[in-house]
Amino acid sequence: MLDGYIGAMFGINFPVFTRASFGMRGSYFAVFVRGVVACIWFGTQSFQGGQCLQVMIEAIWPSFERFPNRLPESAHVTSAQLLCFFLFILVQAPLLWLKVSSLRYMFMAKTIIMPIFGLTLFIWALVAAKGFGPTFSQPTRIKDGTPAAVVFLQCVTTAIGPKATLALNMPDFTRYAKYPKQVFWTQAVGLMVLVTMCGVLGATVTSAAQVVYGVSTWNPLEVAKLWNNRAAQFFAGLCWCFAVIGTNISANSVSFSNDIALWFPKYINVRRGAYLCCILSIATTPWNIQYSAKSFSSFLGGYALFLGALVGIIITDFWICRRRSLDVRALYKKHDVHHFTAGFNIRAFIAFFCGIAPNMPGLAAACGASGVPNGARYLYSLSWLVSTLVAGLVYWISFKIKPFEISPSQEMYMDGVEGYDPSIAEIPQHTKQDKEVEA
């Protein structure tokens, strides 16, 4: 919500906003970090969409389960999975051509269909497992001796991971908000309530599968395959496939397109960037990331720590250092207050590397390194939060030691707070920017 506020008030996207904290040239680094993550996550989501498509095909033609596999076990993917992955790429390719604003009806349908589907799945889990008792009374099984609290925090970080990119690039969407106050309640419901419900749903279905089928799996599609109902399997795969497409477009392709357009504005627009993201995502080999729950959670925790450092810096810069004062026009001028030192804000880079440093030993352990102390492993369970707090604190200290110039601009406030001018929020975005700066 703190990030989305900027887009709604000033009408700027994430790449432009990073110029205020990283500098006119340093912003290229910030958007590069986010762009790489978005590209990798696009491939990961597409592979999940391919799995959904595979469930649908097997529900229609059960013989597809016997599709010959020509790949070795070390590939971590079967021929059928690879085929469905590329089929899903083709299915979502036409939607990448459309602008986000023209997909609003698809997103509205998603907000209606997915909660109904999630509630249905939740009810099935409770009925199949004979109530809450058998489902939530499953004992905790930790084979490697890690404390339960650490495992819980690891799960929290894993849940934050998929939304870290979307939360970071929220200005890319809130810049189109008609009224700034809409930013708060929509994100409060979408990123807090619904995401929490998804986590509860996943834990419930996984535990129910253990009770009903004696199988422990983290993938809800694997649970759907256990159902003795082909129609239910098909519609479950269809709903998940629909959700994956919406998430892939909103959280990944749009952010990558904005990022790559900053690097190559002469050659790349939103549409070209979306298709470039789609092509590059294939090279990330997402099946290697998702072949097990351990590898998937390691990936989520690993990339979340880099995004957390970015969040800590940009939020501290705007809300604490600048106190919500921002000169929008200076963000588009080469030699102005956001130029800093040769276009780089050294404070931001120091804060970024200090933010990720405490988590690097834990990341090495997650990638298979040996000899890492348990304390570093446990700290890594809070990788996103640690990187966010450390980077923000270091940036604030650097600002206090050597303050940078802040252009005098009218401070903007939300509706209901002293100083807020609602007339600014009711005019087009480009006029809004001019009025804010002129004030």
Side-chain angles (χ1 to χ4, degrees):
M1 291 188 289
L2 297 176
D3 196 20
Y5 170 90
I6 291 94
M9 292 306 302
F10 298 102
I12 57 177
N13 58 13
F14 174 81
V16 174
F17 178 48
T18 55
R19 294 175 179 176
S21 53
F22 280 85
M24 299 297 292
R25 295 177 177 173
S27 61
Y28 287 87
F29 170 78
V31 298
F32 174 78
V33 172
R34 190 190 70 159
V36 170
V37 170
C39 186
I40 295 175
W41 190 244
F42 187 96
T44 304
Q45 288 279 71
S46 297
F47 188 71
Q48 290 179 349
Q51 292 176 322
C52 299
L53 201 60
Q54 184 176 359
V55 171
M56 296 166 59
I57 294 175
E58 291 177 354
I60 300 175
W61 298 288
S63 60
F64 190 75
E65 295 182 14
R66 299 185 295 274
F67 190 87
N69 181 29
R70 308 297 184 185
L71 299 175
E73 186 177 355
S74 59
H76 300 143
V77 64
T78 64
S79 298
Q81 290 175 334
L82 199 60
L83 173 63
C84 292
F85 168 70
F86 284 103
L87 288 177
F88 183 81
I89 292 288
L90 295 177
V91 168
Q92 70 177 349
L95 297 175
L96 299 178
W97 177 262
L98 303 177
K99 295 182 179 179
V100 176
S101 57
S102 61
L103 294 173
R104 61 190 300 254
Y105 295 107
M106 185 189 78
F107 292 127
M108 290 175 62
K110 178 184 175 182
T111 59
I112 296 174
I113 294 175
M114 293 311 298
I116 296 176
F117 170 69
L119 181 61
T120 303
L121 198 59
F122 182 75
I123 294 174
W124 166 84
L126 296 181
V127 173
K130 298 180 181 179
F132 283 94
T135 302
F136 290 96
S137 63
Q138 294 297 304
T140 301
R141 299 184 179 91
I142 304 176
K143 299 180 180 179
D144 59 358
T146 304
V150 175
V151 175
F152 173 78
L153 295 176
Q154 289 174 345
C155 294
V156 171
T157 301
T158 302
I160 293 175
K163 306 304 177 184
T165 305
L166 181 59
L168 191 63
N169 70 350
M170 198 55 66
D172 295 341
F173 300 97
T174 57
R175 60 187 293 215
Y176 300 108
K178 194 172 183 180
Y179 302 103
K181 62 183 178 182
Q182 295 175 335
V183 173
F184 283 97
W185 73 265
T186 53
Q187 292 188 71
V189 173
L191 290 180
M192 296 174 63
V193 177
L194 296 182
V195 170
T196 301
M197 292 176 61
C198 288
V200 174
L201 174 64
T204 303
V205 173
T206 299
S207 186
Q210 178 68 32
V211 173
V212 178
Y213 302 106
V215 176
S216 180
T217 176
W218 63 279
N219 192 340
L221 292 172
E222 296 294 332
V223 178
K225 290 182 178 181
L226 299 174
W227 297 342
N228 190 24
N229 189 314
R230 291 166 57 188
Q233 293 175 352
F234 175 83
F235 285 108
L238 180 63
C239 289
W240 286 120
C241 186
F242 183 57
V244 169
I245 292 176
T247 302
N248 225 9
I249 294 175
S250 61
N252 303 314
S253 67
V254 172
S255 61
F256 180 87
S257 299
N258 287 322
D259 294 342
I260 199 69
L262 181 70
W263 277 80
F264 308 102
K266 186 177 180 179
Y267 306 101
I268 301 295
N269 56 22
V270 175
R271 288 172 174 169
R272 294 174 183 173
Y275 285 108
L276 180 61
C277 177
C278 183
I279 295 173
L280 293 178
S281 67
I282 300 175
T284 64
T285 61
W287 44 87
N288 286 322
I289 297 174
Q290 277 196 234
Y291 79 95
S292 71
K294 183 178 180 180
S295 63
F296 189 51
S297 61
S298 298
F299 160 72
L300 293 177
Y303 90 77
L305 71 92
F306 295 99
L307 298 185
L310 294 180
V311 170
I313 293 169
I314 64 177
I315 294 302
T316 302
D317 176 81
F318 178 77
W319 288 93
I320 300 178
C321 299
R322 300 182 185 275
R323 297 182 180 180
R324 293 185 290 180
S325 179
L326 187 64
D327 188 345
V328 178
R329 286 184 176 177
L331 295 173
Y332 297 91
K333 296 180 180 179
K334 187 174 182 180
H335 298 285
D336 212 302
V337 293
H338 302 306
H339 190 68
F340 297 104
T341 304
F344 297 90
N345 184 4
I346 306 302
R347 306 166 191 81
F349 287 90
I350 294 175
F352 178 83
F353 290 109
C354 288
I356 66 174
N359 291 304
M360 297 311 292
L363 177 61
C367 295
S370 58
V372 178
N374 288 333
R377 297 173 185 264
Y378 299 160
L379 182 65
Y380 181 69
S381 64
L382 283 173
S383 59
W384 186 86
L385 181 60
V386 170
S387 61
T388 300
L389 294 179
V390 172
L393 179 61
V394 172
Y395 187 84
W396 178 76
I397 294 175
S398 301
F399 170 74
K400 285 297 184 180
I401 294 175
K402 188 177 181 181
F404 47 75
E405 180 184 357
I406 301 177
S407 295
S409 268
Q410 178 183 350
E411 293 186 352
M412 309 304 300
Y413 299 91
M414 296 306 294
D415 192 8
V417 181
E418 182 180 357
Y420 172 72
D421 183 3
S423 63
I424 296 179
E426 297 174 357
I427 57 179
Q429 292 291 341
H430 64 280
T431 308
K432 181 194 304 183
Q433 295 176 7
D434 294 340
K435 188 170 183 178
E436 291 169 0
V437 176
E438 291 171 1

